[in-house]
Amino acid sequence: MAFGSFGHKPNSTPMTEINMVPLIDVMLVLLVIFIITAPLLTNSVKINLPQASSAPTQTEPRKIDFAINDQGQIFWDGEPVTMDQATARLVEAGQQTPTPELHVRADRDTRYQVLAEVMAAASRAGVSKLGFVSEPVAR
């Protein structure tokens, strides 16, 4: 190790060695601290906790089968209704939670005006889930 002196020697060179003693002392102190505190961090008390299911209950929205034939007659779940009755039922359905799904089945020859009136009434009533039912093409 190199020790410095207060006296000035005429041909002395500057000290080029690093004093490692303080660094080793600090590392040993940190090692002792970690050895003492590590078991304290992993110590825990074992407790038997009750188990509970946290899965929310899913309620399926009701599906309303809404059909329109080629003469413009309206059917609510297979029951013939007028446009006023259908509008009143759509308002009731729009207030339910969850909002039911409206499945519209329209004949190929149904006038677009009747279909547009039904969609507008459903929108005003708050029924936001609307789907069209069709039959697949036979090949």
Side-chain angles (χ1 to χ4, degrees):
M1 279 205 254
F3 292 101
S5 65
F6 293 110
H8 181 60
K9 296 180 186 175
N11 291 333
S12 68
T13 58
M15 183 175 67
T16 58
E17 296 178 12
I18 297 175
N19 191 0
M20 297 293 290
V21 174
L23 179 64
I24 293 171
D25 289 342
V26 169
M27 295 303 287
L28 287 174
V29 169
L30 287 174
L31 181 64
V32 169
I33 289 172
F34 288 139
I35 288 173
I36 292 172
T37 58
L40 298 176
L41 296 176
T42 59
N43 192 8
S44 63
V45 178
K46 303 249 183 208
I47 298 175
N48 287 330
L49 296 175
Q51 300 293 324
S53 169
S54 64
T57 57
Q58 297 286 334
T59 57
E60 287 290 322
R62 192 175 136 231
K63 294 179 178 83
I64 301 169
D65 185 29
F66 198 90
I68 307 170
N69 66 5
D70 57 349
Q71 283 88 27
Q73 292 176 323
I74 300 171
F75 298 89
W76 182 282
D77 287 333
E79 174 188 342
V81 293
T82 64
M83 187 60 183
D84 294 333
Q85 291 172 336
T87 304
R89 289 186 183 186
L90 284 171
V91 169
E92 290 175 16
Q95 295 172 351
Q96 295 176 0
T97 304
T99 307
E101 296 177 5
L102 185 66
H103 292 185
V104 178
R105 290 185 302 124
D107 191 81
R108 182 181 308 214
D109 298 325
T110 302
R111 294 186 53 210
Y112 178 74
Q113 178 183 357
V114 177
L115 193 56
E117 289 173 1
V118 168
M119 291 185 339
S123 177
R124 281 192 305 270
V127 178
S128 59
K129 296 181 180 179
L130 183 120
F132 292 99
V133 179
S134 63
E135 292 183 12
V137 177
R139 293 184 180 204

